[in-house]
């Protein structure tokens, strides 16, 4: 707001965007309007230029994806008066996937993503794992409670969901959330002939959490053609329900041809979609393990958005099939590998994927971490260590 004319805050519905921008509007004394209001939306759609003029020089516009034409009018307004902090916009679907929109505000807008709460935010702690791990192996003692770890994963991070202590009531909220988002927000970004295919596809993706995204296999299991399937998955990504994890490769040119991994935006949501509760999570490690991997990936993504380290997140799979669940790559090409194990003990063989990543990355490799459900950090060999999950947020 101090140096950029337009700030765009993107993220899933109910992640806290409106609460945040309303507090900013009140603090700054600027106009707030939400396009979720039918009357306001109609006025903005009928006369975008006139609507903007009625708001004054500075304004907050919530859910701007509902009237995309407004962004063209904002471009004109900003070009006429290029002061910083003129507009704060929010969107529950990624309008920047629309070429006309992304081009119209290029150089005039900064984009941020607001995800559901991190574990540090929920515990009122300053979670800085991403910054720390590039400097040293985190030395910490874990909370060592399998039940508490499962509760964190099944709860997720949506503000409304975390206030519900009952698993049944939390799932009721998630169910209503999915129904509302798929019936409402999809219409803002695409025309879908068979809208009922989307919740079914989302459940299938939730069941494949942590696996490679294979369009051929998905097409066979859903009877949806690959071309339609790719379109539907892009829609789920646009409305912030699905977020694939791209592959890392030492040769940057190869990354685009490698398959991404399947991850949903929130593990509480994914757990509801596959019917996983506390008892099943304890008994069925085959279902809980991938969800735990997704939990770590989501926590890393949240921390990257505020970390001092400028880095990106990937997964790793070698030509021989060795894998690493998450790879942090800093802008200076330094690499940290992170493997996720749901067990209370770690063996030397659990570092096979990290050793392969170390060989591929060469001098860029900083260290490898195996997250496990244990009490303390244990060093195995040079720059390879087992670390309790709580190091993510403690």
């Amino acid at each position: 707001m101090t140096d950029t004319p337009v700030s765009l805050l993107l993220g899933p519905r109910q992640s806290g965007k409106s609460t945040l921008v309303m507090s900013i509007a009140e603090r700054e004394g600027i106009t707030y309007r939400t396009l979720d209001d039918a009357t306001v939306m109609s006025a903005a759609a009928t006369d975008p230029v006139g609507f903007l003029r009625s708001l004054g020089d500075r304004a907050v516009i919530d859910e701007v994806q509902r009237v995309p034409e407004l962004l063209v009018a904002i471009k004109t307004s900003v070009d006429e008066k290029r002061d910083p902090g003129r507009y704060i916009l929010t969107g529950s679907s990624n309008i920047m996937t629309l070429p006309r929109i992304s081009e119209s505000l290029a150089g005039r807008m900064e984009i941020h993503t607001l995800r559901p709460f991190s574990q540090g935010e929920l515990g009122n702690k300053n979670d800085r794992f991403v910054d720390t791990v590039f400097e040293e192996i985190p030395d910490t003692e874990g909370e060592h409670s399998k039940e508490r770890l499962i509760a964190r994963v099944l709860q997720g991070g949506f503000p409304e969901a975390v206030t519900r202590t009952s698993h049944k009531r939390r799932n009721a909220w998630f169910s209503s959330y999915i129904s509302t988002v798929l019936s409402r927000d999809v219409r803002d970004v695409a025309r879908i002939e068979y809208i009922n295919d989307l919740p079914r596809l989302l459940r299938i993706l939730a069941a494949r959490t942590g696996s490679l995204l294979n369009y051929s296999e998905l097409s066979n299991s859903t009877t949806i053609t690959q071309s339609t399937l790719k379109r539907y998955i892009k829609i789920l990504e646009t409305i912030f329900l699905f977020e694939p994890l791209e592959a890392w490769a030492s040769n940057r040119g190869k990354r685009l041809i490698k398959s991404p991994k399947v991850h949903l935006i929130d593990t509480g949501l994914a757990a509801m979609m596959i019917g996983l509760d506390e008892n099943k999570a304890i008994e069925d490690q085959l279902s809980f393990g991938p969800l735990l991997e997704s939990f770590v990936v989501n926590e890393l993504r949240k921390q990257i958005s505020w970390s001092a380290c400028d880095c990106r997140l990937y997964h790793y799979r070698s030509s021989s099939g060795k894998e690493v669940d998450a790879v942090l790559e800093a802008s200076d090409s330094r690499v940290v590998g992170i493997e996720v194990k749901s067990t209370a003990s770690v063996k030397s063989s659990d570092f096979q994927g990290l050793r392969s990543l170390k060989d591929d990355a060469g001098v860029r490799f900083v260290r490898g971490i195996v997250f496990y459900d244990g009490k303390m950090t244990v060093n195995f060999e040079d720059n390879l260590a087992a670390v309790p999950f709580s190091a993510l947020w403690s």
Side-chain angles (χ1 to χ4, degrees):
M1 291 177 65
T2 60
D3 57 20
T4 306
V6 183
S7 297
L8 174 60
L9 188 64
L10 297 172
R13 278 196 179 272
Q14 298 294 314
S15 61
K17 300 186 301 299
S18 296
T19 301
L20 175 57
V21 297
M22 286 173 71
S23 70
I24 294 173
E26 183 177 354
R27 185 191 70 195
E28 299 289 319
I30 56 182
T31 305
Y32 169 86
R33 293 288 185 271
T34 175
L35 299 185
D36 271 345
D37 184 297
T39 303
V40 175
M41 184 178 73
S42 177
T46 302
D47 182 9
V49 175
F51 174 77
L52 281 184
R53 286 174 182 162
S54 72
L55 302 182
D57 285 342
R58 303 176 74 204
V60 173
I61 304 174
D62 211 353
E63 301 297 350
V64 73
Q65 81 281 351
R66 309 210 73 189
V67 185
E69 301 83 2
L70 203 53
L71 292 165
V72 178
I74 288 173
K75 171 190 177 295
T76 302
S77 177
V78 166
D79 287 347
E80 290 173 354
K81 188 175 183 179
R82 205 180 178 91
D83 293 340
R86 288 205 58 199
Y87 296 104
I88 303 172
L89 314 174
T90 79
S92 294
S93 60
N94 192 354
I95 55 176
M96 300 314 294
T97 59
L98 305 174
R100 183 168 59 91
I101 300 303
S102 59
E103 291 167 7
S104 67
L105 287 169
R108 304 166 180 85
M109 180 169 69
E110 190 167 306
I111 304 169
H112 301 274
T113 301
L114 185 68
R115 302 172 186 276
F117 282 136
S118 73
Q119 294 303 303
E121 288 173 315
L122 289 172
N124 199 25
K125 294 179 180 179
N126 197 5
D127 37 7
R128 297 285 182 181
F129 172 83
V130 168
D131 287 330
T132 301
V133 77
F134 276 97
E135 303 304 322
E136 61 185 8
I137 294 174
D139 188 8
T140 184
E141 289 192 7
E143 59 188 18
H144 196 56
S145 168
K146 186 72 170 184
E147 291 74 18
R148 181 65 187 128
L149 180 62
I150 289 172
R152 289 179 184 275
V153 174
L154 299 188
Q155 174 183 264
F158 278 101
E160 179 69 22
V162 300
T163 64
R164 302 192 175 196
T165 55
S166 161
H167 178 78
K168 183 177 180 180
R169 295 303 306 145
R170 190 167 61 240
N171 274 2
W173 183 85
F174 279 127
S175 180
S176 175
Y177 177 83
I178 288 296
S179 177
T180 302
V181 169
L182 292 183
S183 64
R184 180 181 186 177
D185 290 350
V186 167
R187 291 189 177 92
D188 291 334
V189 297
R191 292 182 179 179
I192 300 293
E193 185 176 355
Y194 301 107
I195 195 74
N196 291 334
D197 283 340
L198 287 179
R200 181 166 64 99
L201 176 58
L202 193 61
R203 281 193 298 273
I204 291 171
L205 289 172
R208 285 163 171 73
T209 290
S211 64
L212 295 177
L213 180 57
N214 185 323
Y215 286 107
S216 176
E217 187 270 334
L218 268 178
S219 179
N220 290 334
S221 60
T222 59
T223 66
I224 302 173
T225 64
Q226 283 197 45
S227 58
T228 301
L229 191 63
K230 289 178 180 180
R231 178 168 169 256
Y232 283 4
I233 286 178
K234 194 63 183 176
I235 290 169
L236 292 176
E237 191 176 348
T238 299
I239 59 176
F240 297 102
L241 290 178
F242 173 70
E243 190 171 16
L245 183 63
E246 300 301 325
W248 183 90
S250 54
N251 182 337
R252 293 176 184 269
K254 292 182 179 179
R255 297 182 187 183
L256 295 176
I257 61 174
K258 287 179 172 283
S259 298
K261 265 193 171 185
V262 174
H263 290 290
L264 267 59
I265 193 74
D266 183 79
T267 52
L269 183 65
M272 185 279 295
M273 298 296 288
I274 61 175
L276 192 70
D277 59 18
E278 288 86 349
N279 292 330
K280 289 181 181 177
I282 293 174
E283 297 167 0
D284 186 2
Q285 286 299 304
L286 288 177
S287 295
F288 180 68
L291 206 61
L292 184 58
E293 176 187 335
S294 194
F295 172 79
V296 171
V297 166
N298 285 338
E299 290 299 304
L300 293 173
R301 279 172 162 160
K302 293 166 189 176
Q303 290 192 32
I304 285 172
S305 70
W306 62 67
S307 65
C309 174
D310 180 14
C311 60
R312 299 188 67 179
L313 188 65
Y314 303 92
H315 78 88
Y316 168 80
R317 182 181 175 89
S318 71
S319 56
S320 61
K322 292 185 175 65
E323 296 184 338
V324 176
D325 297 325
V327 177
L328 289 165
E329 183 181 52
S331 57
D332 59 7
S333 297
R334 290 181 299 155
V335 169
V336 170
I338 298 168
E339 185 70 6
V340 180
K341 299 293 179 184
S342 61
T343 56
S345 61
V346 175
K347 306 183 295 294
S348 177
S349 59
D350 292 327
F351 290 88
Q352 285 184 356
L354 290 167
R355 293 187 186 103
S356 177
L357 173 65
K358 184 177 181 178
D359 290 341
D360 273 3
V363 295
R364 292 181 289 170
F365 185 84
V366 176
R367 61 185 48 88
I369 299 292
V370 172
F371 275 127
Y372 78 120
D373 187 26
K375 289 183 177 180
M376 63 188 72
T377 294
V378 180
N379 291 300
F380 271 68
E381 54 192 80
D382 187 32
N383 291 329
L384 296 178
V387 177
F389 282 104
S390 58
L392 265 173
W393 58 82
S394 64

